[in-house]
Amino acid sequence: MLVSRIPLVVLLLSLLACFSPADAQTSLRTPALINDNDRYAFAMAKLALSYASEKINLQADGGEEKTLPRVMSELESNALDIIWTATDQEKEQEFLPVRIPLYKGMFGYRIFIIHKNNQHKFSNIHTLDDLKIVSLGQGRTWADTKILEANGLNVVKVSKFPSLLYMLDGERFDAFPRGIHEPWGEIESHPQLQLAVEQQLMLVYRMPFYLFVNKNNRPLAQQLEAGLNKAITDGSFDKLFYAEPGVQKVLQFANLKNRKLIELNNPYLTPETPLSRPELWLDIARF
């Protein structure tokens, strides 16, 4: 009886040998890729994981756009494995941040989308106090919303991003501050609205845009951080950054050197923010 089992045992061992650890593939889930920021952050996460010793498949949610609170809830419940968003103290307490600013701090350089007939409202604004006379539209739970309010600015808050563009078109507020890489694509995707990029001003403050993972998934956070650092060292991080469509638009259209800078304080940065690593941050002189 024992002899008859030997061929079966050998067969099973042979089959198991065909599936080495290198063939195993981990699958990780991210939010849906709705806009250029999503596609870029997804590409950065994929780049980071490409340095891992195991094969990792990154799978974006195929569903509709979700609010940031919904996305964060799904990360907390492990329905998602990786998300991306601008950071603040609260998010860094609730989740594990990967403290490599994906946009090199570009989210902290803000220019305005305005109604195309209202450039005159901004012509005599030179200081932070001057800026307080206009109203700024923002997402209710966004990190930069709290920064603007902490600096005494007049903020109109809504829950969903698309509402902001339509409200601006209807002149429900005066300006929509965006990262310097964002306005052109957003205006182009809504040609029916009477929108334009404000021509003279730029807000400046520190606001990193990070990858985040569940608080209990430290190995993944470490893997992402290690991969991004390797990408910075070998130049592939900057190659992806400068190829991003929004960054290309900045190079072509933003006219940053001729804008009036209004500096804001960000009281919500954590002490762990890597401010001492200049290679992680945008050199505005290059634009």
Side-chain angles (χ1 to χ4, degrees):
M1 191 69 164
L2 181 60
V3 175
S4 67
R5 292 180 179 173
I6 291 176
L8 179 59
V9 172
V10 172
L11 177 61
L12 289 173
L13 290 174
S14 299
L15 288 172
L16 289 173
C18 292
F19 296 96
S20 66
D23 293 318
Q25 186 171 101
T26 301
S27 185
L28 299 176
R29 299 151 297 181
T30 77
L33 308 184
I34 303 299
N35 54 43
D36 284 344
N37 288 337
D38 295 327
R39 288 182 281 273
Y40 173 75
F42 183 89
M44 275 295 186
K46 194 171 183 179
L47 174 63
L49 294 170
S50 72
Y51 294 88
S53 57
E54 60 179 321
K55 295 180 180 179
I56 299 176
N57 177 46
L58 207 56
Q59 182 64 48
D61 188 340
E64 62 184 1
E65 183 176 10
K66 297 173 183 175
T67 63
L68 181 57
R70 171 77 179 277
V71 168
M72 292 192 298
S73 175
E74 291 186 356
L75 181 62
E76 186 175 15
S77 68
N78 290 307
L80 294 174
D81 299 293
I82 302 171
I83 68 168
W84 40 79
T85 183
T87 192
D88 57 32
Q89 293 169 343
E90 184 178 344
K91 293 185 183 74
E92 293 191 31
Q93 290 171 0
E94 189 172 355
F95 306 108
L96 282 178
V98 180
R99 291 191 177 91
I100 305 292
L102 297 185
Y103 273 104
K104 299 170 77 72
M106 188 175 278
F107 271 81
Y109 294 90
R110 315 291 285 188
I111 56 180
F112 302 149
I113 301 177
I114 62 173
H115 192 284
K116 70 176 187 179
N117 296 328
N118 288 342
Q119 177 62 45
H120 65 279
K121 291 187 177 182
F122 301 87
S123 298
N124 293 319
I125 293 178
H126 304 279
T127 67
L128 178 58
D129 282 339
D130 293 339
L131 191 61
K132 293 176 182 178
I133 67 174
V134 298
S135 56
L136 308 176
Q138 287 284 277
R140 191 174 303 279
T141 60
W142 296 356
D144 47 314
T145 302
K146 294 191 293 185
I147 297 170
L148 298 177
E149 290 183 319
N151 285 269
L153 296 173
N154 178 16
V155 180
V156 176
K157 293 175 284 190
V158 303
S159 296
K160 294 185 177 181
F161 168 82
S163 301
L164 287 158
L165 295 174
Y166 287 94
M167 290 173 68
L168 180 58
D169 179 65
E171 301 185 74
R172 301 276 297 279
F173 51 81
D174 298 309
F176 183 15
R178 307 302 290 142
I180 54 175
H181 60 291
E182 295 179 295
W184 291 275
E186 293 171 353
I187 291 173
E188 287 171 4
S189 65
H190 295 80
Q192 75 279 22
L193 304 182
Q194 304 298 299
L195 304 178
V197 178
E198 196 281 326
Q199 300 171 13
Q200 300 181 17
L201 303 176
M202 180 164 66
L203 305 183
V204 180
Y205 49 91
R206 288 291 194 192
M207 193 177 72
F209 186 88
Y210 290 152
L211 298 174
F212 286 85
V213 305
N214 186 282
K215 197 75 171 180
N216 298 317
N217 202 348
R218 189 166 298 277
L220 177 57
Q222 293 171 339
Q223 193 172 48
L224 288 165
E225 183 174 0
L228 289 175
N229 276 316
K230 289 177 181 177
I232 290 167
T233 300
D234 69 22
S236 54
F237 186 104
D238 272 3
K239 183 177 180 181
L240 181 57
F241 172 75
Y242 285 104
E244 198 275 329
V247 176
Q248 289 291 314
K249 293 287 178 60
V250 173
L251 293 169
Q252 295 176 49
F253 302 121
N255 191 28
L256 300 184
K257 292 181 180 179
N258 295 318
R259 289 181 176 270
K260 302 170 190 174
L261 306 187
I262 298 178
E263 295 190 7
L264 304 185
N265 176 49
N266 180 359
Y268 302 104
L269 284 180
T270 64
E272 295 82 7
T273 305
L275 299 176
S276 62
R277 295 184 61 186
E279 74 275 16
L280 300 185
W281 303 94
L282 181 68
D283 179 5
I284 201 68
R286 295 189 65 173
F287 290 80

